[in-house]
Amino acid sequence: MILPVQVHLTLPAWTQRVIDMSRPYRSAEDQVGLAIELSRMNVEHGTGGPFGAAVFTDEGHLISVGVNRVLQQNCSVAHAEMMAFMTAQQRLQQFRLNAIGRKITLATSAQPCCQCFGATVWAGIDTLLIGARSEDVESLTGFDEGPLPNDWVGELNRRGIEVRRDIQREAACTALRRYKELQGQIY
């Protein structure tokens, strides 16, 4: 048996049809709205879990997107935020995204889990915009979001990362509910 020496993760083809790389996403509502739309489409297409994320410059230019691909890729790290980080890092050829000299925003359809929380610190994110809360994710889908520091927002703030929560929270929860409704039919 040969040891694998390469990992290949992909986003669904439909993402190329949904995103508009030329459009500026100037407001937090627009940025989280894109993340929520990605989560909704991922559920409707049956291509992954109900999570979407997008990385933006401080001017609102889209760098990358991600959707949850854990089951489809057999990879526990293929969360939406992780996919968005990895595709942004490949695009910019930079592992610390804000090292390009610009402020970087991560917009998520739902609060990052413990894995994505840690990656947010190391990926070079300056602003974190969140739709649904972890308690929404857990109550509406049954997912275990894992342990976070008691004062996780304060911990990110101390590291220079601004956190804004509950942006279009109800729309984000609608995508989570839809996933739960379809779960037995598409997965």
Side-chain angles (χ1 to χ4, degrees):
M1 177 175 234
I2 297 175
L3 179 68
V5 295
Q6 187 177 163
V7 175
H8 184 77
L9 299 174
T10 60
L11 292 174
W14 61 260
T15 58
Q16 295 301 312
R17 294 187 304 273
V18 170
I19 60 172
D20 180 356
M21 295 298 290
S22 65
R23 175 188 166 200
Y25 295 82
R26 299 208 193 284
S27 72
E29 290 72 21
D30 286 346
Q31 292 173 1
V32 173
L34 176 60
I36 293 168
E37 178 64 9
L38 290 165
S39 70
R40 189 189 71 74
M41 297 286 289
N42 209 34
V43 170
E44 294 301 327
H45 285 278
T47 51
F51 304 101
V55 176
F56 299 91
T57 67
D58 52 351
E59 298 158 339
H61 296 291
L62 182 62
I63 297 172
S64 70
V65 300
V67 293
N68 180 283
R69 300 285 288 157
V70 171
L71 295 178
Q72 290 71 15
Q73 305 276 211
N74 292 309
C75 182
S76 62
V77 300
H79 290 196
E81 297 92 337
M82 302 296 283
M83 297 294 286
F85 290 152
M86 289 185 281
T87 54
Q89 290 161 342
Q90 289 298 298
R91 181 171 181 204
L92 299 178
Q93 290 296 290
Q94 183 67 44
F95 69 90
R96 187 130 179 106
L97 298 172
N98 59 5
I100 63 172
R102 300 175 108 159
K103 300 277 186 187
I104 300 295
T105 296
L106 172 67
T108 65
S109 62
Q111 179 180 317
C113 69
C114 59
Q115 168 186 259
C116 298
F117 167 83
T120 298
V121 171
W122 303 121
I125 299 301
D126 298 291
T127 304
L128 173 59
L129 306 174
I130 302 168
R133 293 182 175 221
S134 65
E135 54 263 32
D136 300 329
V137 173
E138 290 179 353
S139 69
L140 295 172
T141 67
F143 290 139
D144 179 359
E145 294 298 277
L148 289 175
N150 288 333
D151 183 21
W152 66 271
V153 172
E155 186 60 40
L156 290 177
N157 289 163
R158 282 186 287 284
R159 293 172 178 267
I161 302 170
E162 176 191 358
V163 178
R164 294 182 50 204
R165 302 168 73 188
D166 300 334
I167 301 167
Q168 296 196 41
R169 184 177 180 186
E170 187 49 43
C173 287
T174 298
L176 297 170
R177 285 186 201 95
R178 182 68 173 149
Y179 171 81
K180 188 65 172 177
E181 288 171 9
L182 295 176
Q183 190 173 11
Q185 300 170 33
I186 60 177
Y187 297 98

